[in-house]
Amino acid sequence: VLERHEEELSASIVRSHRETTQYRPEELQALRWKVFSREEIHAYQSKSVDEMWQHCAVRLTDAVQYVVEFAKRIPGFRQLCQNDQIALLKSGSMEVVLVRMSRMFNTENNTVFFDGKFAGTELFKSLACSDLIAAVFEFAHNLCVLRLTEQQMAVFTALVLLNAVDRPCLEDRERVQRARRDVGLALSHILHRDNQGSLQHKLFQRVQELESLCALHIEKLRWFRQLYPLTVHSLFPPLYKELFG
Ligand SMILES: CCS(=O)(=O)c1ccc(CC(=O)Nc2nc(-c3ccccc3)c(C(=O)c3ccccc3CC(C)C)s2)cc1
């Protein structure tokens, strides 16, 4: 009976994942070799720091919006109180975007999908946070080489969202722990069914990297907000400020 429950749980999570990713893997295959020209790269590199940050924050918030939709469809997430839903999204939405971003990564030329084409790290130079960019590329590469299936990715991202149980501000911790345990069981069930049990510990290593990567993103945002308070205040998407501010 437990098996059937896990099967149903992962099936519903995979369905939610499919409905809430902006691009399907097959679409990405077609886009893979669409890279920016030298002139286009130069245009991005000529943007001012605040212009490029604002441009990226808008793109990132688009991706986060889809993650919020995904979260709302995870069994157990909707039953949580508003406070706990926000707490999990504050800590998990960027992590899920980063995991999903690895689907949009091309390990052959080390490029990530951005603004409709694939871009290398040099395109993001004007963000003036090369350590964050290098870390995002490194993470995307390390996850991409694990070649997760969409099903494994879907259940893994649901686990990442529910993995925030050690957050101090959770009201109903037991409930979050129960949902996380169920999704954790579904993930190990899927991995063993796919004869990829060895992926389990690799994925948990990636989860540790995610936490430090998100901390670096928040640290860079604080640095940026000190330099350009008005840009953040009046030009950054409200959802970006609410989740990462
Ligand atoms: C995520 C769902 S998906 O369908 O796979 C999908 C859907 C849509 C896209 C297109 C897309 O929005 N790509 C972006 N790329 C980057 C990026 C940027 C620097 C290096 C590496 C990737 C974006 C960012 O703004 C970003 C992301 C992570 C950390 C930091 C930043 C920049 C900071 C300054 C906000 S947005 C990609 C993937």
Side-chain angles (χ1 to χ4, degrees):
V1 146
L2 198 61
E3 292 259 309
R4 203 167 50 74
H5 171 64
E6 279 156 19
E7 285 287 342
E8 274 160 15
L9 178 60
S10 30
S12 86
I13 291 172
V14 171
R15 206 171 26 255
S16 309
H17 171 80
R18 285 221 170 82
E19 291 160 0
T20 61
T21 41
Q22 294 125 292
Y23 297 87
R24 288 193 315 283
E26 46 282 0
E27 285 173 283
L28 300 174
Q29 283 311 324
L31 286 164
R32 261 171 96 70
W33 300 103
K34 267 186 82 176
V35 289
F36 286 106
S37 67
R38 249 201 314 282
E39 296 72 29
E40 286 170 318
I41 293 173
H42 183 67
Y44 280 108
Q45 293 175 334
S46 322
K47 285 176 181 281
S48 61
V49 174
D50 59 322
E51 217 183 339
M52 189 60 179
W53 262 84
Q54 189 209 333
H55 187 82
C56 286
V58 168
R59 294 283 160 283
L60 191 66
T61 307
D62 287 349
V64 167
Q65 233 122 18
Y66 283 86
V67 172
V68 172
E69 264 316 302
F70 171 64
K72 283 159 55 177
R73 302 178 196 200
I74 296 175
F77 187 90
R78 289 196 80 121
Q79 285 70 20
L80 296 175
C81 62
Q82 193 76 13
N83 168 75
D84 289 357
Q85 290 187 19
I86 299 285
L88 291 180
L89 283 169
K90 270 178 91 74
S91 59
S93 60
M94 180 65 166
E95 293 182 344
V96 172
V97 164
L98 287 164
V99 171
R100 285 179 163 197
M101 204 69 82
S102 70
R103 301 154 80 240
M104 317 286 282
F105 191 81
N106 184 341
T107 50
E108 284 157 63
N109 57 9
N110 214 37
T111 56
V112 71
F113 188 67
F114 176 80
D115 251 357
K117 291 183 184 172
F118 279 77
T121 53
E122 71 283 355
L123 182 132
F124 300 97
K125 203 169 64 169
S126 53
L127 286 172
C129 52
S130 55
D131 48 351
L132 170 66
I133 302 314
V136 173
F137 271 71
E138 170 80 15
F139 176 82
H141 185 279
N142 293 345
L143 191 56
C144 205
V145 295
L146 299 185
R147 305 190 63 69
L148 296 183
T149 63
E150 284 295 289
Q151 288 201 354
Q152 293 165 349
M153 166 99 44
V155 182
F156 178 57
T157 49
L159 188 58
V160 162
L161 264 177
L162 293 166
N163 183 36
V165 282
D166 47 4
R167 300 283 170 236
C169 55
L170 283 180
E171 281 170 19
D172 191 347
R173 187 179 311 281
E174 285 70 44
R175 204 152 194 180
V176 176
Q177 267 160 343
R178 231 183 351 265
R180 183 179 70 150
R181 195 197 52 243
D182 289 353
V183 173
L185 283 172
L187 180 62
S188 61
H189 172 73
I190 277 202
L191 292 178
H192 286 98
R193 186 197 65 190
D194 300 343
N195 289 321
Q196 289 186 299
S198 64
L199 270 184
Q200 186 111 26
H201 83 279
K202 289 190 184 112
L203 287 178
F204 284 117
Q205 272 172 334
R206 298 285 94 77
V207 169
Q208 312 308 326
E209 291 162 15
L210 271 175
E211 279 156 19
S212 59
L213 192 42
C214 290
L216 185 57
H217 169 237
I218 298 297
E219 181 196 314
K220 291 297 171 192
L221 174 59
R222 287 215 183 99
W223 159 79
F224 178 79
R225 188 209 293 265
Q226 266 181 342
L227 285 178
Y228 301 94
L230 281 186
T231 304
V232 177
H233 178 75
S234 49
L235 295 174
F236 269 37
L239 180 61
Y240 182 98
K241 287 187 280 188
E242 188 181 335
L243 291 180
F244 310 125

